[in-house]
């Protein structure tokens, strides 16, 4: 994907400064025909043209079942579909401990969270927090960092060479699984406190607030100022389309100082792109802390599974100098090569770029249309931007120049103290999160058998997720609280149709 030079300019401007006025989304005189096409609709009597194909021509129209998130882009050629299947075999592969007779599959760990991509992103879908004492926690992980303590820490952060400073003993991620002969780093205990929320019309919702405790530390004390951020594995559909949105179309929506006075002040995250050795717009991760899908994939290989890649050459994964036993364990490295070859990385990238978004359901249903109107009128589209036209890219024909409906602005927003993890990530502070795309959200139960949402899965329904919104989304949340029960039902019907 080729971005314009504007991204570098905006990356500099976004650090404590406002964006140039000519990027204002309110400047209708300067809108292009494409910008007018993707402007929010004012007609809620009928569905918009092409609205039932949220991924444009990539949208699949297969039967909706547990495999709904696992189909390739519909407009893909036969040869590229074969490449997609190769990528799928890597995504579903379970890696083994080195040394092994199957050299192409070894190198796991030594410390890790999962044995494969599919272990967390089950059926290419959403993970969940543990359900009960003995539930498998593999689809939930915990990021770790500490405040900067040295001049070198501050230099790395200021130059965007790192997003955060790793905890010195346990690294940037807590690993609760290990290879034989080595202890896992720790365990995390989760406790919930429940609070009732009164809704207009006599309805009552119950929200649960999690508390996290790290126990059974195997490698000594953890830093007293450690910051912990729980993360649930997100769904995988439409990622290539999100990467194909022109950077200008994302940046144009940013209003970090809320100059238009609507209470929403989204900002772009700025991160280091090790593919180009330059700063770039953050797009991926729950705080937009990663510039490209390729970097997201390779980072997950290393941090989650403990495998080295061409861009992340830590053969012992997230082991630190304070874990000498971990650093002594054998790896799958051969001849100074990464454990995951460039060929495998490229095949996985093709796969993750082309997991298709399913066709919408019921776009013309009167309740869906009424719910859509309420969604717009409540101000939800202030962050959940409905649609874009992806950039033209001859190298990615399936994803090029598509009208898509992801319902995200890809920007960071202050979501209030209730959802704060209090852990910064580059320009994202401890209260800010990237707006998640909503396409496919209504199929979570079909694909994954649960309805856990938000970054840590605390919400057990879409309504609970909405009621956790605070900060910039407080006004929109309050409007949902004040709706009649029938209106809330229609709003949720619309969201579930996405």
């Amino acid at each position: 994907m080729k971005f314009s030079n504007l991204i570098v300019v905006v990356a500099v401007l976004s650090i404590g400064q406002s964006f140039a006025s000519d990027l204002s989304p309110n400047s209708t005189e300067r809108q292009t025909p494409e910008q007018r096409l993707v402007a929010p609709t004012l007609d809620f009597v009928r569905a918009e043209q092409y609205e039932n194909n949220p991924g444009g021509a990539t949208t699949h129209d297969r039967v909706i079942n547990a495999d709904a998130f696992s189909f390739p882009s519909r407009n893909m050629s036969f040869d590229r579909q074969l490449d997609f299947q190769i990528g799928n075999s890597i995504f579903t592969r379970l890696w083994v401990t080195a040394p092994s007779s199957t050299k192409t599959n070894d190198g796991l760990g030594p410390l890790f969270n999962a044995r494969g991509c599919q272990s967390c992103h089950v059926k290419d879908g959403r993970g969940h927090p543990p359900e009960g004492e003995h539930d498998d926690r593999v689809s939930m992980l915990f990021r770790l960092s500490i405040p900067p303590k040295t001049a070198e820490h501050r230099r790395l952060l200021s130059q965007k060479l790192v997003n955060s400073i790793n905890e010195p003993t346990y690294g940037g991620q807590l690993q609760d699984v290990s290879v034989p002969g080595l202890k896992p780093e720790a365990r995390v205990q989760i406790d919930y406190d429940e609070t009732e929320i009164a809704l207009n019309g006599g309805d009552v919702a119950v929200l649960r607030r999690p508390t996290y405790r790290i126990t059974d530390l195997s490698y000594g004390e953890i830093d007293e100022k450690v910051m912990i951020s729980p993360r649930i594995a997100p769904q995988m559909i439409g990622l290539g389309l999100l990467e194909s949105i022109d950077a200008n179309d994302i940046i144009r929506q940013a209003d970090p100082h809320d100059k238009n006075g609507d209470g929403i002040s989204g900002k772009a995250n700025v991160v280091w792109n090790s593919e180009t050795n330059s700063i770039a717009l953050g797009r991926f991760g729950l705080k937009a802390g990663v510039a490209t899908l390729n970097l997201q994939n390779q980072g997950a290989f290393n941090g989650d599974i403990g495998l080295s890649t061409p861009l992340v050459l830590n053969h012992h994964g997230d082991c630190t100098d304070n874990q000498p036993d971990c650093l002594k364990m054998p790896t799958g490295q051969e001849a100074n090569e990464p454990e995951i070859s460039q060929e495998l990385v490229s095949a996985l990238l093709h796969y993750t770029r082309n997991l298709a978004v399913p066709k919408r359901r019921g776009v013309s249903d009167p309740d869906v249309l009424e719910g859509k109107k309420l969604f717009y009128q409540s101000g939800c589209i202030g962050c959940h931007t409905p649609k874009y036209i992806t950039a033209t890219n001859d190298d990615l024909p399936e994803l090029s120049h598509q009208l898509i409906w992801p319902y995200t602005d890809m920007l960071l927003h202050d979501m209030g103290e209730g959802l704060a993890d209090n852990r910064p990530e580059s320009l994202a502070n401890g209260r800010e999160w990237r707006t998640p795309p909503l396409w496919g959200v209504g199929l979570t139960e079909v694909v994954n058998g649960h309805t856990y949402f938000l970054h840590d899965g605390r919400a057990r329904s879409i309504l609970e997720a909405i009621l956790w919104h605070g900060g910039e989304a407080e006004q929109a949340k309050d409007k949902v609280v004040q709706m009649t029960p029938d209106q809330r039902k229609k709003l949720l019907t619309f969201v579930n149709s996405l």
Side-chain angles (χ1 to χ4, degrees):
M1 172 61 64
K2 298 178 181 178
F3 301 129
S4 72
N5 292 333
L6 178 60
I7 190 170
V8 178
V9 176
V10 171
V12 175
L13 287 174
S14 65
I15 304 174
Q17 300 181 34
S18 62
F19 293 97
S21 60
D22 61 349
L23 295 182
S24 169
N26 300 318
S27 181
T28 55
E29 300 83 359
R30 302 177 186 179
Q31 283 187 335
T32 65
E34 286 191 350
Q35 288 171 344
R36 288 193 289 273
L37 178 62
V38 300
T41 185
L42 300 175
D43 179 6
F44 301 101
V45 175
R46 60 190 62 81
E48 297 174 70
Q49 191 175 19
Y50 311 121
E51 189 176 3
N52 61 339
N53 290 318
T58 71
T59 307
H60 83 74
D61 57 358
R62 308 287 186 91
V63 174
I64 297 301
N65 55 27
D67 294 320
F69 291 169
S70 300
F71 294 108
S73 298
R74 188 178 58 185
N75 57 346
M76 186 182 292
S77 68
F78 178 76
D79 287 345
R80 287 173 67 80
Q81 286 191 41
L82 293 177
D83 293 337
F84 178 89
Q85 296 305 324
I86 294 172
N88 178 55
S89 70
I90 298 166
F91 192 84
T92 57
R93 182 177 302 180
L94 296 178
W95 303 88
V96 299
T97 306
S100 165
S101 59
T102 55
K103 293 296 183 183
T104 56
N105 288 355
D106 73 2
L108 176 69
L111 296 169
F112 58 98
N113 295 106
R115 290 184 57 199
C117 308
Q118 184 91 251
S119 300
C120 293
H121 304 276
V122 180
K123 290 286 188 178
D124 304 292
R126 189 183 304 274
H128 64 87
E131 298 177 301
E133 185 178 351
H134 302 292
D135 185 29
D136 187 356
R137 304 178 181 210
V138 72
S139 57
M140 186 176 198
L141 57 82
F142 295 83
R143 302 278 191 225
L144 305 175
S145 60
I146 60 172
K149 294 185 176 182
T150 67
E152 178 63 6
H153 287 170
R154 289 185 283 274
R155 181 189 71 82
L156 292 171
L157 289 169
S158 66
Q159 294 182 7
K160 305 301 168 201
L161 297 175
V162 298
N163 288 345
S164 57
I165 303 301
N166 289 350
E167 201 282 332
T169 298
Y170 292 91
Q173 189 166 309
L174 199 68
Q175 274 94 19
D176 57 356
V177 194
S178 61
V179 299
L182 195 67
K183 293 181 178 180
E185 289 186 321
R187 294 183 63 83
V188 178
Q189 299 295 324
I190 309 175
D191 300 308
Y192 292 101
D193 292 320
E194 294 192 342
T195 303
E196 289 189 353
I197 304 295
L199 308 175
N200 184 37
D203 290 347
V204 175
V206 179
L207 304 186
R208 59 176 190 170
R209 180 186 298 273
T211 301
Y212 302 98
R213 295 179 291 112
I214 298 178
T215 64
D216 302 326
L217 291 165
S218 298
Y219 298 92
E221 294 298 318
I222 199 166
D223 192 285
E224 62 180 8
K225 294 186 177 180
V226 67
M227 296 175 283
I228 305 169
S229 183
R231 305 290 174 89
I232 291 295
Q235 64 190 30
M236 299 294 297
I237 57 173
L239 296 182
L241 293 169
L242 296 178
E243 188 174 41
S244 298
I245 298 172
D246 192 288
N248 296 327
D249 291 339
I250 297 172
I251 293 162
R252 188 177 289 112
Q253 302 173 88
D255 185 17
H257 302 297
D258 192 19
K259 287 187 174 182
N260 63 7
D262 65 354
I264 298 174
S265 51
K267 73 182 185 186
N269 206 351
V270 177
V271 298
W272 186 254
N273 183 344
S274 58
E275 294 184 80
T276 60
N277 287 322
S278 63
I279 56 175
L281 173 69
R283 292 174 184 254
F284 297 102
L286 297 181
K287 292 201 175 207
V290 184
T292 69
L293 187 53
N294 185 35
L295 288 171
Q296 179 77 3
N297 290 346
Q298 295 197 41
F301 261 138
N302 196 251
D304 299 356
I305 310 176
L307 298 166
S308 56
T309 72
L311 291 175
V312 191
L313 286 168
N314 302 326
H315 300 297
H316 287 87
D318 196 37
C319 296
T320 70
D321 292 339
N322 291 325
Q323 296 171 326
D325 290 344
C326 183
L327 295 174
K328 292 176 184 176
M329 300 299 291
T331 71
Q333 175 192 7
E334 289 188 357
N336 205 32
E337 292 295 320
E339 292 161 317
I340 303 296
S341 68
Q342 182 60 54
E343 181 181 11
L344 294 185
V345 164
S346 297
L348 183 68
L349 179 60
H350 177 63
Y351 176 76
T352 55
R353 275 177 170 163
N354 283 287
L355 283 163
V357 180
K359 197 179 188 71
R360 281 272 309 275
R361 288 89 50 216
V363 292
S364 297
D365 183 278
D367 285 352
V368 169
L369 290 170
E370 183 62 27
K372 177 182 176 181
K373 181 179 180 180
L374 292 164
F375 186 89
Y376 279 52
Q377 290 178 340
S378 298
C380 300
I381 65 169
C383 300
H384 291 282
T385 304
K387 49 189 171 174
Y388 299 85
I389 295 175
T390 61
T392 300
N393 188 336
D394 294 338
D395 294 331
L396 300 173
E398 299 86 7
L399 310 175
S400 179
H401 204 65
Q402 298 296 321
L403 175 62
I404 64 172
W405 309 70
Y407 285 88
T408 174
D409 60 7
M410 302 288 284
L411 297 174
L412 299 170
H413 294 276
D414 182 334
M415 294 301 293
E417 190 58 36
L419 288 179
D421 68 349
N422 299 308
R423 178 181 177 272
E425 189 171 329
S426 192
L427 293 185
N429 65 36
R431 293 164 55 105
E432 291 176 324
W433 300 93
R434 186 202 68 165
T435 306
L438 295 182
W439 49 18
V441 68
L443 294 176
T444 300
E445 187 168 15
V446 173
V447 174
N448 295 120
H450 66 76
T451 53
Y452 294 121
F453 300 106
L454 300 178
H455 65 280
D456 55 4
R458 69 178 68 185
R460 294 161 294 187
S461 67
I462 292 172
L463 178 59
E464 285 187 31
I466 293 171
L467 295 176
W468 271 108
H469 283 45
E472 297 173 40
E474 186 81 31
Q475 294 183 33
K477 184 270 300 285
D478 288 345
K479 290 179 180 178
V480 175
V481 171
Q482 293 304 318
M483 288 179 183
T484 66
D486 183 62
Q487 288 174 323
R488 275 193 300 274
K489 181 179 178 181
K490 290 176 179 177
L491 173 72
L492 296 176
T493 298
F494 163 69
V495 175
N496 275 300
S497 78
L498 296 177

